[in-house]
Amino acid sequence: MADTETETGDVAADTGAMQDSGGKKPRSVRVVLLALMIAMMLAMLDNMIIGTAMPTIVGELGGLEHLSWVVTAYTLATAASTPIWGKLGDMYGRKGIFMTSIVLFLIGSALSGMAQDMGQLIGFRAVQGLGAGGLMVGVMAIIGDLIPPRERGKYQGMMAGVMALAMIGGPLIGGTITDNWGWRWSFYINLPLGAVALLAIGAVLHLPKKRAQARIDYLGAGLLAAGITAIVLVTTWGGTEYAWGSAMIMELIGIGVAALVGFVFVQTKAAEPVMPLHIFRIRNFSLMSVIGFITGFVMFGAVLFLPLYQQAVQGASATNSGLLLLPMLGAMLIVSMVAGRVTTNTGRYKVFPLVGSVLMAVGLFLLAQMDTDTSRVTSGLYMAVLGAGMGCLMQITMLVAQNSVEMKDMGVASSSTTLFRTLGASFGVAIMGALFNNRVQDVMAERAGSAGSAVTERSAQLDAASLAKLPEAAREAYQHAVSSGTHSAFLLGSIVAVVALVAAVFVKEVPLKGAAPQEAEGPVSDGDLPSKGAVAERV
């Protein structure tokens, strides 16, 4: 397996006694958790900020025809590298691998800020994405090392809060930075934040070093990266750059399927597989992967179409588009905090996937009922129902997945769960987007004839400036078309959410590892947290 060397110094600031006699986390652990949250925010905030700055970037660098690649390159690199970072952390120690991913992300950020043309920016964004693939996985896996599952629920609210802050604050921060400092600072802003996280983790976090004797599974890593890249490109290009039945899309599907089949075969032979297949024989882990995929499918579809509906139909300002999601994200944050506390206090968690799946399906069905007369208050209530459902699911999926595997597989469990959520998001945006676009085109043709089709022939999503220029009749037709499109997209989402409910029914409530709160009032015992000896023994 692995020949483990332990760093001098205590594991996790003496993980054998992570709590002082008053039951509080020592300052060193709080510093590590703060640094991890900063790293997590960097990964989540980046695309939100850059989206707002893109018009200015294109105005200076040109290359409008390659605009989508600024986001696609980052997304591809992140998705393809995610499982590899997780495995490297398991094999060689999480601290060094995590710090490497931060450094790579910061190098990509600095280079992106210095880009002189669109080609350079796309290449540097890929470098940034490679680093970002390790940020989220590293955060989740390190928390999995430091905090036993029974106690981990307390930090769900913190992680959900970072996500909500990124989604709400990203567009606002991006607009403010671009207007006052220039678009390059949309990338440079990562440098001081990343440096703080890097210094804090380097100084305070102490985890076991590992030195795996087995070689890295390069063939498996390459096949997995090729398969993920093909899948993401299919979901990104299908119905937009290329028709779904085009030769390019069919070739990508063929490459993706062949690569993934080859990957599965290689994993059965590799001495140290990138994604050990035995973890998928664990019922709860497989079910959490399914639920995570559905959650990503639903959430990112909602984040895409809700602001579009409110801007086009309800006349909301695009400037504060992130604030339009407050009812959903606020409910998600509150429910996630409550779910975490209840899980920590009771050790029970099956109720949350069940209730969350029901609320998610109901919320999406309610959102599908919105039309041109729906008020902002009503749509806000519908969003809150959806947000409450996602709040029950977002962190519980990671918690249960990590609780299902041995410590030696913590990294691959975290990266696999993150990967399935990312792939779910890609499929959700692609499929719901295709349904939305087709419905908008059809309704515009019905209501406004050939003139209506001409309005949306390039894109079914019009910005505020284009919408304002339309004649009143065409604008009303477009509002009905968007309402109809969101109805179809959210109705599909509600049907897909039922799959998550079916998966939740079969979840087995395995006791969470670690002491119950009342048992942890004094120092936490070695049996509750991964002390040096425990980690070495498990590896």
Side-chain angles (χ1 to χ4, degrees):
M1 290 295 293
D3 176 23
T4 304
E5 292 183 357
T6 307
E7 289 181 340
T8 56
D10 296 323
V11 178
D14 192 7
T15 48
M18 270 183 62
Q19 289 177 305
D20 60 24
S21 57
K24 296 179 180 179
K25 301 292 180 197
R27 180 179 301 175
S28 58
V29 176
R30 293 198 295 270
V31 171
V32 169
L33 290 173
L34 177 60
L36 293 176
M37 293 304 106
I38 292 174
M40 183 176 176
M41 180 173 289
L42 288 175
M44 300 198 65
L45 198 60
D46 195 74
N47 268 339
M48 298 289 179
I49 290 179
I50 301 309
T52 312
M54 283 313 300
T56 307
I57 293 174
V58 171
E60 181 172 329
L61 299 183
L64 178 62
E65 66 276 14
H66 304 304
L67 174 64
S68 63
W69 272 103
V70 175
V71 174
T72 301
Y74 180 91
T75 303
L76 276 176
T78 301
S81 64
T82 291
I84 298 170
W85 285 113
K87 184 60 182 180
L88 289 174
D90 284 342
M91 292 178 67
Y92 299 109
R94 259 176 267 293
K95 178 179 176 178
I97 296 299
F98 183 54
M99 292 179 71
T100 301
S101 71
I102 295 176
V103 170
L104 189 58
F105 180 84
L106 296 182
I107 290 173
S109 297
L111 292 174
S112 295
M114 294 186 287
Q116 299 301 307
D117 57 49
M118 191 61 78
Q120 288 183 10
L121 180 60
I122 291 168
F124 296 149
R125 284 283 283 168
V127 174
Q128 194 183 21
L130 288 174
L135 294 183
M136 186 71 74
V137 174
V139 168
M140 294 301 179
I142 290 172
I143 288 178
D145 276 349
L146 298 184
I147 313 293
R150 184 66 182 265
E151 295 292 306
R152 215 171 292 154
K154 294 179 181 178
Y155 304 94
Q156 287 183 8
M158 191 186 303
M159 289 182 270
V162 169
M163 181 177 295
L165 181 61
M167 289 183 175
I168 295 172
L172 299 175
I173 294 171
T176 302
I177 290 175
T178 303
D179 290 342
N180 293 283
W181 299 345
W183 67 266
R184 296 183 186 276
W185 277 96
S186 297
F187 298 103
Y188 293 151
I189 194 68
N190 293 330
L191 302 181
L193 292 174
V196 169
L198 201 59
L199 291 173
I201 289 168
V204 179
L205 178 64
H206 301 287
L207 289 172
K209 275 185 179 176
K210 304 173 187 176
R211 183 173 297 160
Q213 294 176 341
R215 293 179 59 192
I216 297 173
D217 179 18
Y218 292 108
L219 178 57
L223 288 171
L224 181 59
I228 292 171
T229 299
I231 290 171
V232 174
L233 285 177
V234 166
T235 56
T236 302
W237 285 348
T240 53
E241 299 289 328
Y242 301 94
W244 284 106
S246 66
M248 175 63 78
I249 297 300
M250 291 298 105
E251 288 171 6
L252 285 172
I253 291 174
I255 292 171
V257 170
L260 294 178
V261 169
F263 169 74
V264 171
F265 176 77
V266 168
Q267 296 309 280
T268 63
K269 307 295 183 183
E272 194 68 56
V274 174
M275 190 179 290
L277 300 182
H278 68 81
I279 62 176
F280 293 99
R281 291 197 290 268
I282 303 170
R283 180 206 290 185
N284 277 4
F285 180 83
S286 295
L287 292 173
M288 287 304 112
S289 298
V290 172
I291 293 173
F293 181 92
I294 302 296
T295 304
F297 187 105
V298 166
M299 187 179 78
F300 286 92
V303 168
L304 174 64
F305 294 111
L306 281 171
L308 179 62
Y309 168 85
Q310 291 191 308
Q311 291 170 35
V313 180
Q314 296 181 327
S317 168
T319 305
N320 299 322
S321 56
L323 297 176
L324 301 175
L325 300 174
L326 265 176
M328 182 180 76
L329 297 174
M332 185 179 76
L333 173 60
I334 293 170
V335 172
S336 182
M337 292 176 66
V338 172
R341 285 291 176 179
V342 171
T343 301
T344 295
N345 292 334
T346 67
R348 297 186 175 276
Y349 53 80
K350 181 172 180 176
V351 64
F352 296 111
L354 285 169
V355 173
S357 300
V358 170
L359 288 175
M360 191 163 67
V362 170
L364 287 162
F365 181 77
L366 291 173
L367 288 170
Q369 309 312 306
M370 296 189 304
D371 56 28
T372 55
D373 297 322
T374 303
S375 68
R376 291 191 190 182
V377 173
T378 301
S379 60
L381 290 174
Y382 295 166
M383 281 190 279
V385 175
L386 175 60
M390 291 193 297
C392 289
L393 296 172
M394 285 301 297
Q395 304 305 330
I396 287 290
T397 52
M398 181 66 72
L399 172 65
V400 177
Q402 290 180 335
N403 189 61
S404 303
V405 301
E406 297 178 53
M407 184 66 72
K408 67 183 179 65
D409 291 325
M410 184 68 71
V412 292
S414 303
S415 64
S416 299
T417 306
T418 303
L419 175 62
F420 279 108
R421 187 179 297 172
T422 301
L423 293 179
S426 295
F427 276 92
V429 170
I431 297 173
M432 294 172 75
L435 195 61
F436 172 86
N437 289 339
N438 289 337
R439 188 60 188 151
V440 168
Q441 296 283 4
D442 290 345
V443 172
M444 286 295 286
E446 291 172 8
R447 287 182 168 266
S450 57
S453 298
V455 168
T456 56
E457 63 181 1
R458 290 185 59 83
S459 174
Q461 302 177 29
L462 302 181
D463 57 26
S466 301
L467 193 58
K469 295 176 182 177
L470 293 180
E472 184 175 349
R475 187 162 56 248
E476 288 182 0
Y478 182 69
Q479 289 174 339
H480 282 282
V482 169
S483 176
S484 181
T486 52
H487 167 80
S488 299
F490 288 131
L491 192 60
L492 172 66
S494 68
I495 295 170
V496 171
V498 175
V499 177
L501 176 58
V502 173
V505 169
F506 292 98
V507 171
K508 183 179 179 181
E509 195 156 53
V510 178
L512 294 173
K513 302 164 189 172
Q518 61 267 28
E519 297 169 345
E521 292 178 358
V524 177
S525 70
D526 289 344
D528 297 329
L529 287 167
S531 64
K532 290 181 285 188
V535 173
E537 183 179 327
R538 287 175 182 174
V539 174

